[in-house]
Amino acid sequence: MIEVGGLVIDGLTVKYGGNVAVSDVSFAAPVGRITGLIGPNGAGKTTTFNACSGLLQPSTGRVLLDGEDVTRLPVHRRAQRGLGRTFQRMQLCESLSVRDNVSLGRESATAGSRPWSHVWDGRGERHAAIAATDEALRLCGIAELADSPVVSLSTGQRRLVELARAVAGGGRILLLDEPSSGLDHGETERFGDTLRFLVRERGSGILLVEHDMSLVMRVCEHIYVLDFGTLLFDGTPAEVTDSVAVRQAYLGSAA
Amino acid sequence: MTEFAPFIVAGIATGAIYGLAAAGLVLTYKTSGIFNFAHGAVAAAAAYIFYELHGVHHVPWGLAAAVSVLVFGPLLGLVLELIARRVAGVDSATQVVATIGILLVITGVSTARYGVITIDFPQFLPHGTFEVADVFVGYDQLITVLVSVTAVAGLFAFFRWSRLGLQMRAVVDNPELLDLAGSRPASVRRAAWVIGCCFAALSGILLAPYLGLDATLLTLLVVDAFGAAAVGRFNNIPLTFGAGIGIGVVARLITKFVPHNQSLAGLPSSLPFLVLFFVLVLSRSGTFPTRLQHRRAYRTLVIPIAVKRVLVVVAAVTVVFLPAIVGAKLPVYTNAAIYVTIFVSLALLVRTSGQLSLCQLTFVAIGATTFSHLTVGAGLPWGIALVLAGLAVVPVGAIVSLPAIRLSGLYLALATFGFGILVERLAFNFGVMFGRGGQRSAARPDFIGIHGARGMFYVCAVVAALSILAAVVINRSKLGRLLRGLADAPVALAVNGADAKITRVIIFCISAFMAGIAGALFLALVGTASGAASGATFSTMSSITLLTVLAIAGRSLVAAPIIAAIAYVIVPSYITNAHLSSYLQIAFGGSALAIACLGGSSGTVLSKLTSSSAWRVARSPVTARLQLRSEVGS
């Protein structure tokens, strides 16, 4: 196994009862690059994500973060080590405004496991939190929505709030689960730019599960293709486009 | 062996009744997802019907039993099903409040009609005994066990092999699918409620001869079934029944070893709650069935900031001049100020993070007794003892929050309920609290010009104002956002690095601290508290009444505790009526139930009535949970 900064999955197998959802999958999402994870519905993408962030315990296999085995760590410990994520089924706080939702990303990170930090932050951290929230709102293009209640937003806008929360949280590796579904064309363009900005300016690593192929092909440097829980193919966008196996997985064997 | 045998026989008989009641409870919970806190009240109501027919009007017992179990039970079941359907869409905190409302209405009606004294209940089953291997067994005991076993075995077989039983199991898993397949989930649920309430009614008339007829006692004793239901994971009917018998036997065996009039005299009757609390505390997450939480928008009154400022000034001026206005009634207002603090401590849990505490007055009682030990016992200065009394309750709050760490809203409510009754039955009897003729007393404040009834009032009013201020600050602070996040999207907190366990424990500790301070003030106000009086003041029944009053008072952290204290303390003090406490129970329970059925918030109900545009749509935090696995992914 190569030592890389970022996320490495090694021989991951996840079972739901007797059903094998993900079987012996290995891949790497290093920092400083956008990695794509694609595959038809039910291929095991979200399951893989859940195993990475600790919401699911794999049957076998390891999850490595910056070379360290985090397979047995609870969700919040992995997040404290720099693993952030968004959800396909969004997890927003409905009773708060957009700004409060985004700042929860930063505040959860600083609260961590220290009781006192749940209750109180020093002046410096409070200012830093406001700055981080403002920047995340701006990067994700939702600064003008900051004071709206989350309840009033469209699906696409809610996705951006989720992204902004993960960005404000400051994770070095971001797992994004179908972040562009519900976005219009302009928003998707902007979204792609935001991802590249994060990689370029912050040195983040991004693992992107996405159905919008043009977005995936445009922003990802390397793409892994999952099908029926196994790794079918991996390569650059051009290689993936040319692959017969990938086309068959997506369009059926008749193609 | 033979010396234990009578206890085992008696234990099996009462245990079978608990098991019977618990099986009915599990059936309704499984199929509807609504946990019926009023299950025991249904049993009590059936027993009263039986008593009215057989004991008062001398109807033959067979007919009376048939009417209470086969007519009254099903009718109540139909009513409860309607209510369950109405509240199916609200958050589980509101669902709990709704069934607690039913409980209060039923016990209120019973006590208004029959009084709070225990009525001797006729033993209608044959009296004689027979001997098996040197052990005397009563025919009544044999019949009780046979009836219970037959009923539960019948239910199990029905669930397993009949078509309706199969549909009931299906409705648990996927009601939409059942609907598509041509069976109506509503009628399947209705059948479950009818059967469940029949079981409750049957357990009520079987249990009453052993206990006598006492609405509260009977309601809570059937609630003993909660312990058995917890062992059965609120899911497994045979295991639940077996656990009921096991708890019955062990409880009886303890009575052999623990004689009466001792501080542990409450141990047998608190055993089911010991079981309930520890099963919930020690279970791993994912052990119990949980359901999808519902979010529902509710409406709040938008008050402009200028108006708010005026209101605060008016309130402050009123408080300053109140002693001069109300004269001899001042202690009532002092008590109301203390209850404002108690309601704030409760609102902090319910309104910010959707966590329910059904044992808030247990915290208050512990604060009161600690205060007494610190001032009268250790001779500490008044103010220091007050703060220390609050701090002493903090670890208790932390212990109670343990189930909150891993379990969803309903099970937390159950654990706090179990804890409340446990302390009430067991620890209240200890010498350190109110037991063994023990009497706790405390003095009123007397320092730098603050003394007497007025001084007491101002101290309580300042504490109330500070607790409201604290609640508002917490709600707007980082902790407040974390709590709201915890309620709405706990997974999001975790994936950003927050350890949600800590957030939960912190808010419980703060709430317990406030309740402890209120307890200390309460004892200082009343001067002395002895066992019997404080039993009622600090009982779990009173705790759950507080929750319904708070539900009626609305969702604001500022206005709701004040409105609740006025409704709970001040208004009743101006009414003289022999049955006042019963009528209040009915009024509070009924209103809370009505609000739950009409959308879960008094603001929503009022906005419908007034159709005013001043009501703004907001969202309630859903009841807190930490069931990470089932909620994410597709």
Side-chain angles (χ1 to χ4, degrees):
Chain A
M1 184 54 48
I2 341 137
E3 285 288 317
V4 274
L7 180 72
V8 173
I9 301 300
D10 180 20
L12 188 80
T13 300
V14 182
K15 292 177 186 165
Y16 292 120
N19 236 338
V20 182
V22 174
S23 170
D24 194 23
V25 167
S26 300
F27 64 81
V31 289
R33 119 178 159 186
I34 302 178
T35 310
L37 182 63
I38 62 171
N41 285 330
K45 304 181 297 286
T46 298
T47 301
T48 307
F49 263 32
N50 286 347
C52 290
S53 48
L55 297 164
L56 279 175
Q57 224 16 265
S59 320
T60 53
R62 294 187 303 161
V63 180
L64 300 152
L65 206 54
D66 295 337
E68 190 189 351
D69 190 344
V70 297
T71 319
R72 300 281 153 202
L73 290 187
V75 181
H76 64 272
R77 294 268 178 216
R78 300 184 197 201
Q80 286 165 14
R81 278 155 215 251
L83 189 68
R85 77 169 282 185
T86 67
F87 293 91
Q88 184 189 0
R89 196 183 290 171
M90 285 171 286
Q91 301 283 323
L92 291 176
C93 187
E94 303 289 335
S95 55
L96 292 177
S97 69
V98 169
R99 166 178 290 283
D100 285 346
N101 264 284
V102 173
S103 69
L104 255 184
R106 170 84 181 197
E107 288 179 321
S108 302
T110 52
S113 305
R114 296 169 304 279
W116 183 245
S117 310
H118 281 250
V119 184
W120 194 254
D121 277 330
R123 180 184 290 268
E125 169 50 36
R126 264 179 300 169
H127 287 299
I130 292 170
T133 305
D134 284 338
E135 200 203 352
L137 286 167
R138 190 180 48 77
L139 272 178
C140 300
I142 47 172
E144 67 279 11
L145 296 173
D147 296 318
S148 324
V150 162
V151 188
S152 66
L153 303 187
S154 70
T155 311
Q157 289 168 329
R158 294 162 74 94
R159 294 229 176 267
L160 293 174
V161 175
E162 271 236 319
L163 176 70
R165 184 175 63 200
V167 170
R172 279 175 307 105
I173 304 286
L174 299 180
L175 311 180
L176 308 180
D177 200 346
E178 299 208 12
S180 84
S181 65
L183 299 191
D184 65 27
H185 183 70
E187 285 169 331
T188 308
E189 287 281 305
R190 185 187 179 112
F191 175 74
D193 295 342
T194 304
L195 295 190
R196 280 192 288 217
F197 176 86
L198 287 171
V199 171
R200 198 175 60 239
E201 299 297 318
R202 292 196 181 175
S204 303
I206 290 172
L207 182 61
L208 183 65
V209 161
E210 191 46 78
H211 275 306
D212 181 343
M213 278 311 131
S214 66
L215 175 70
V216 172
M217 294 304 161
R218 190 160 62 84
V219 301
C220 293
E221 279 177 52
H222 197 90
I223 297 173
Y224 293 90
V225 186
L226 276 181
D227 191 27
F228 292 113
T230 55
L231 206 54
L232 185 73
F233 188 83
D234 78 285
T236 62
E239 289 166 355
V240 168
T241 319
D242 293 340
S243 160
V244 179
V246 174
R247 227 175 302 151
Q248 280 185 344
Y250 265 89
L251 304 172
S253 47
Chain B
M1 181 58 210
T2 36
E3 55 177 321
F4 297 115
F7 292 93
I8 295 175
V9 169
I12 291 175
T14 45
I17 306 175
Y18 294 153
L20 177 69
L25 181 71
V26 168
L27 175 69
T28 50
Y29 177 57
K30 268 180 87 154
T31 46
S32 70
I34 311 283
F35 190 90
N36 187 12
F37 276 85
H39 197 67
V42 173
Y48 276 107
I49 301 271
F50 182 88
Y51 170 76
E52 184 75 39
L53 292 173
H54 180 58
V56 179
H57 295 287
H58 307 293
V59 174
W61 72 263
L63 183 59
V67 169
S68 17
V69 176
L70 298 176
V71 179
F72 175 73
L75 280 178
L76 208 51
L78 290 176
V79 174
L80 291 184
E81 193 275 329
L82 281 179
I83 294 172
R85 209 188 306 167
R86 286 291 315 195
V87 300
V90 300
D91 55 298
S92 70
T94 310
Q95 290 174 348
V96 170
V97 168
T99 60
I100 284 175
I102 302 170
L103 185 160
L104 292 177
V105 168
I106 294 178
T107 50
V109 169
S110 309
T111 50
R113 172 80 176 79
Y114 300 97
V116 288
I117 45 142
T118 305
I119 302 170
D120 271 338
F121 194 84
Q123 175 52 282
F124 53 93
L125 296 173
H127 292 284
T129 55
F130 62 96
E131 207 180 322
V132 186
D134 292 341
V135 180
F136 286 100
V137 179
Y139 283 109
D140 56 329
Q141 292 172 328
L142 180 70
I143 294 171
T144 298
V145 172
L146 284 180
V147 167
S148 306
V149 170
T150 310
V152 173
L155 177 67
F156 181 68
F158 163 79
F159 222 63
R160 205 59 188 258
W161 290 296
S162 81
R163 183 172 162 76
L164 187 58
L166 183 71
Q167 290 173 338
M168 280 183 187
R169 280 189 288 155
V171 85
V172 179
D173 293 334
N174 196 333
E176 289 78 20
L177 198 63
L178 192 64
D179 211 359
L180 287 174
S183 323
R184 290 185 48 221
S187 56
V188 175
R189 290 202 180 103
R190 194 177 301 134
W193 278 99
V194 165
I195 297 171
C197 285
C198 280
F199 275 39
L202 184 58
S203 66
I205 64 168
L206 288 175
L207 200 53
Y210 297 106
L211 298 171
L213 205 47
D214 173 323
T216 312
L217 192 67
L218 204 55
T219 298
L220 290 182
L221 268 166
V222 176
V223 173
D224 286 4
F226 289 2
V231 176
R233 304 288 186 233
F234 300 96
N235 190 25
N236 185 330
I237 286 174
L239 186 58
T240 299
F241 186 68
I245 292 182
I247 291 173
V249 170
V250 176
R252 280 302 166 114
L253 285 176
I254 296 174
T255 55
K256 177 165 168 50
F257 294 108
V258 183
H260 285 291
N261 314 323
Q262 295 242 332
S263 45
L264 283 176
L267 188 57
S269 65
S270 37
L271 183 71
F273 298 96
L274 216 55
V275 171
L276 173 65
F277 186 69
F278 282 101
V279 166
L280 289 173
V281 167
L282 299 177
S283 293
R284 296 186 314 126
S285 63
T287 308
F288 302 114
T290 45
R291 280 151 197 287
L292 216 64
Q293 296 284 327
H294 299 276
R295 294 194 179 106
R296 180 176 279 198
Y298 68 94
R299 284 167 193 275
T300 46
L301 187 60
V302 183
I303 303 173
I305 191 81
V307 177
K308 278 185 183 171
R309 283 185 186 141
V310 171
L311 284 175
V312 169
V313 171
V314 169
V317 171
T318 313
V319 165
V320 169
F321 290 105
L322 202 63
I325 304 167
V326 297
K329 277 270 185 195
L330 188 62
V332 171
Y333 287 85
T334 312
N335 195 20
I338 295 169
Y339 269 91
V340 168
T341 307
I342 298 175
F343 278 115
V344 170
S345 74
L346 194 56
L348 258 187
L349 290 176
V350 183
R351 294 302 181 222
T352 56
S353 64
Q355 305 186 86
L356 284 183
S357 160
L358 305 189
C359 66
Q360 207 64 10
L361 288 172
T362 311
F363 296 150
V364 175
I366 296 172
T369 49
T370 310
F371 184 64
S372 165
H373 286 296
L374 292 173
T375 50
V376 179
L380 287 178
W382 199 86
I384 294 173
L386 182 68
V387 176
L388 288 180
L391 289 176
V393 192
V394 168
V396 183
I399 291 171
V400 174
S401 72
L402 286 179
I405 291 175
R406 282 161 296 126
L407 300 174
S408 68
L410 168 69
Y411 299 111
L412 170 65
L414 274 171
T416 56
F417 190 69
F419 181 80
I421 296 185
L422 192 61
V423 174
E424 180 185 336
R425 291 201 184 151
L426 197 57
F428 278 15
N429 290 322
F430 292 167
V432 277
M433 291 195 80
F434 310 108
R436 275 185 289 175
Q439 209 177 38
R440 297 274 78 88
S441 57
R444 293 186 175 185
D446 188 4
F447 48 84
I448 45 168
I450 300 171
H451 54 82
R454 284 190 178 212
M456 185 69 210
F457 171 74
Y458 287 127
V459 168
C460 293
V462 167
V463 170
L466 286 178
S467 54
I468 290 179
L469 188 67
V472 170
V473 169
I474 288 171
N475 194 39
R476 289 184 187 168
S477 73
K478 178 179 186 178
L479 181 61
R481 281 187 292 276
L482 287 171
L483 286 166
R484 229 87 74 79
L486 189 63
D488 280 357
V491 192
L493 254 57
V495 299
N496 280 295
D499 188 348
K501 294 194 283 290
I502 292 174
T503 324
R504 284 172 202 263
V505 174
I506 288 174
I507 196 62
F508 256 94
C509 290
I510 295 175
S511 171
F513 175 75
M514 283 186 183
I517 297 260
L521 291 174
F522 183 82
L523 193 63
L525 174 69
V526 298
T528 56
S530 61
S534 30
T537 313
F538 300 133
S539 71
T540 307
M541 283 297 270
S542 304
S543 284
I544 63 177
T545 311
L546 292 190
L547 201 62
T548 59
V549 176
L550 187 67
I552 300 164
R555 290 179 184 262
S556 156
L557 279 174
V558 180
I562 297 172
I563 295 170
I566 291 172
Y568 190 72
V569 179
I570 295 178
V571 172
S573 80
Y574 286 92
I575 304 170
T576 9
N577 185 302
H579 293 301
L580 180 63
S581 63
S582 306
Y583 293 142
L584 283 176
Q585 268 193 3
I586 299 171
F588 292 144
S591 312
L593 176 62
I595 286 169
C597 289
L598 292 171
S601 132
S602 42
T604 306
V605 176
L606 281 177
S607 70
K608 277 180 194 160
L609 292 177
T610 56
S611 55
S612 149
S613 61
W615 300 87
R616 178 172 58 90
V617 175
R619 290 242 167 185
S620 61
V622 296
T623 297
R625 68 233 141 107
L626 203 64
Q627 294 291 328
L628 298 177
R629 279 166 206 170
S630 55
E631 284 156 17
V632 277
S634 50

